[in-house]
Amino acid sequence: MQKYSRVFYLVGFLSMPLFILLLVYGYIKLNEMVSEEIHWGHNKSFAFGQASREGKLILLSVTKSRCEMLQGLECGEGKPDLGTYVLLNYTPREQEFQTLILDDRFVSLKTDPLPQYFLLNSAGEIRHISKQLPSVEEMQKLPKKE
């Protein structure tokens, strides 16, 4: 019996670092998933609600891949100012993108290459369309209501 208890202690002792590594990995993975949903996964109703409350425009960016932390050329590499607008990012793989294609206002999504950027007011009216991320000055000049 004494011989087996040493083996169990040894197995338990050696498996403890593996268990800790699995816990840390799980914590990091869950944290990444949650932060992505909160910060970069704004849905349409949240974006429009926040824009109307704060008097901001909505920057609808339709890109080939999801804008993570606004990095990459398609996302402006830190160029935009989040104090001016609320970001709403769609990719072709999302259901919301399919809904956009059916809307006549976004007909350029069917023919022109991505990325495309639309500045919308809180009523959903398009204020600006471009193939490049609009500058902060352009966004501030546009009327938010009309």
Side-chain angles (χ1 to χ4, degrees):
M1 188 67 172
Q2 193 76 315
K3 183 170 132 183
Y4 292 116
S5 66
R6 289 184 185 160
V7 171
F8 289 128
Y9 282 125
L10 182 62
V11 169
F13 181 74
L14 293 177
S15 65
M16 192 59 103
L18 179 64
F19 179 70
I20 291 171
L21 285 174
L22 285 173
L23 282 176
V24 169
Y25 175 77
Y27 174 78
I28 290 171
K29 195 69 172 165
L30 282 173
N31 199 12
E32 285 175 2
M33 289 170 33
V34 167
S35 65
E36 180 178 320
E37 286 298 315
I38 290 173
H39 297 294
W40 310 111
H42 293 327
N43 62 23
K44 186 176 179 180
S45 62
F46 176 83
F48 277 89
Q50 184 177 2
S52 67
R53 276 192 315 273
E54 298 177 7
K56 294 181 179 181
L57 291 170
I58 298 165
L59 176 63
L60 173 61
S61 65
V62 183
T63 55
K64 293 177 188 171
S65 60
R66 193 136 180 88
C67 286
E68 301 296 335
M69 307 294 273
L70 287 180
Q71 294 177 353
L73 291 176
E74 291 183 349
C75 300
E77 292 194 0
K79 179 181 174 184
D81 176 18
L82 288 176
T84 309
Y85 65 86
V86 178
L87 176 67
L88 186 59
N89 179 231
Y90 291 149
T91 62
R93 292 182 296 275
E94 297 177 19
Q95 180 64 33
E96 291 87 358
F97 178 79
Q98 304 305 322
T99 307
L100 279 179
I101 289 179
L102 298 176
D103 192 337
D104 292 337
R105 298 176 297 159
F106 302 101
V107 72
S108 64
L109 290 174
K110 294 179 184 176
T111 57
D112 297 340
L114 298 178
Q116 291 184 35
Y117 302 95
F118 303 89
L119 282 171
L120 312 170
N121 64 7
S122 59
E125 300 167 341
I126 297 176
R127 294 288 174 215
H128 182 72
I129 299 173
S130 71
K131 295 186 186 311
Q132 295 182 352
L133 194 66
S135 68
V136 175
E137 293 79 24
E138 287 176 318
M139 287 188 262
Q140 290 173 342
K141 289 178 186 175
L142 294 172
K144 293 175 180 55
K145 294 181 181 178
E146 202 168 289

